[in-house]
Amino acid sequence: MTHGRTRFIIGFLAFPVLLYLVYVISPYAQAFYIAMTNWRGVNANPQFVGLENFRRLLDDAVFWKAVWHNLLLLILLPVGTITIALFFAYLLNVGGEGRGVGGIRGSGFYKVVFFFPQVLAVAIIAVLFQQVFRPDRGGMLNGPLMALGLEPIGFLSNPDIALWSVLGVLIWQAVGFYVVLFSAGMASIPKEMYEAAQIDGAGRAAMFFRVTLPLLWDTVQVGWVYLGIAALDVFAVVWVMTAEQGGPDHSTTVIAAEIYRNAFDYFKFGYASAMGVVLFFFTIGFAVLALRLSRRERIEY
């Protein structure tokens, strides 16, 4: 019986595992190999250069600037998005008026409104915010300022604030999904726990930190990992929205943008693959570290 079950399991999994090896593991292996060559995308027999591409990365100031920008986004995007999403989700689900615990009136409609950016392609969002940040009277933000006689703000042309503008767009685009995700998690928390906390004299803030957040921690943990991975892969917004695809003066460039630029503008596919390998280990390392640091005893209810 055991032998037959083993054969069934192997036969059932063989094809999916084969597909995974061919379409996932194989490209990774090829990328690692290309990273140790000087392949330019057209030469059929690239020269093997070992770790030379990785050594060049150590002296590449633009690459390290991109790494720094990714690290900033890695911290600020999850913190900003989760904080805002938790606030709105708690308001929608627990912030109703009157006695008892309930959501505000029309919470379902507000969830749809919050979720709306998720149905837009990232490139479309980038184009929309290009218009929002325009430095003339046609800009949604600068138009009113100029009408009041104030100087326009170079949201995407000022190197000191361009990255913050990109961060604002990323948070705006992501918040809606996590509002809905956290709302679903809060809806599964028994109302009796909130009612017991109210009887003990807990206010809304105390209920959030002592009831909602501990019981929602697993969902927050998953959201943190997803947002961290998204922060390491913000190519589309940066490439479409910013000046010079990562400018001005590389003030908004990220690793993914430098990979694309080196591969398809400079035809340095080996060097770009080395950047990709570094990004791969950054992503894996972040996911492992985030899961370990945020791990806590599971609360059953």
Side-chain angles (χ1 to χ4, degrees), residues 9 16 45 128 201 203 238 289 298:
I9 293 175
N45 297 306
L128 287 175
V238 169
L289 186 63
R298 184 178 180 85

Side-chain angles (χ1 to χ4, degrees), residues 127-298:
V127 172
L128 287 175
F129 273 91
Q130 273 187 327
Q131 303 306 310
V132 172
F133 292 143
R134 279 177 57 178
D136 54 31
R137 293 185 181 274
M140 185 179 296
L141 298 179
N142 281 316
L145 293 179
M146 298 180 70
L148 295 174
L150 301 176
E151 290 293 323
I153 299 174
F155 291 100
L156 298 177
S157 60
N158 186 337
D160 295 328
I161 63 174
L163 186 64
W164 298 101
S165 301
V166 172
L167 175 63
V169 174
L170 294 172
I171 292 176
W172 177 87
Q173 190 267 340
V175 159
F177 174 82
Y178 291 95
V179 168
V180 175
L181 179 66
F182 296 152
S183 293
M186 292 179 190
S188 67
I189 298 175
K191 298 297 183 184
E192 292 80 4
M193 291 191 173
Y194 289 116
E195 293 169 357
Q198 280 188 324
I199 293 173
D200 291 339
R204 302 284 182 178
M207 284 194 295
F208 174 79
F209 288 105
R210 297 183 181 181
V211 178
T212 303
L213 189 57
L215 295 177
L216 201 65
W217 187 254
D218 287 346
T219 306
V220 173
Q221 182 188 52
V222 172
W224 190 281
V225 173
Y226 283 173
L227 284 165
I229 293 174
L232 293 172
D233 181 25
V234 292
F235 169 78
V237 170
V238 169
W239 197 261
V240 175
M241 189 176 74
T242 61
E244 304 167 7
Q245 290 81 41
D249 193 25
H250 303 291
S251 61
T252 59
T253 193
V254 289
I255 299 175
E258 291 308 308
I259 292 174
Y260 184 93
R261 197 188 319 275
N262 278 276
F264 298 103
D265 288 351
Y266 308 146
F267 296 100
K268 299 178 180 179
F269 282 84
Y271 191 54
S273 294
M275 292 184 181
V277 170
V278 172
L279 181 59
F280 169 80
F281 284 110
F282 275 172
T283 305
I284 296 297
F286 163 76
V288 172
L289 186 63
L291 289 173
R292 290 188 64 86
L293 292 180
S294 60
R295 184 172 57 187
R296 60 171 59 184
E297 184 178 351
R298 184 178 180 85

Side-chain angles (χ1 to χ4, degrees), residues 3-13:
H3 179 67
R5 185 176 62 182
T6 301
R7 290 179 58 186
F8 172 77
I9 293 175
I10 294 175
F12 186 79
L13 294 179

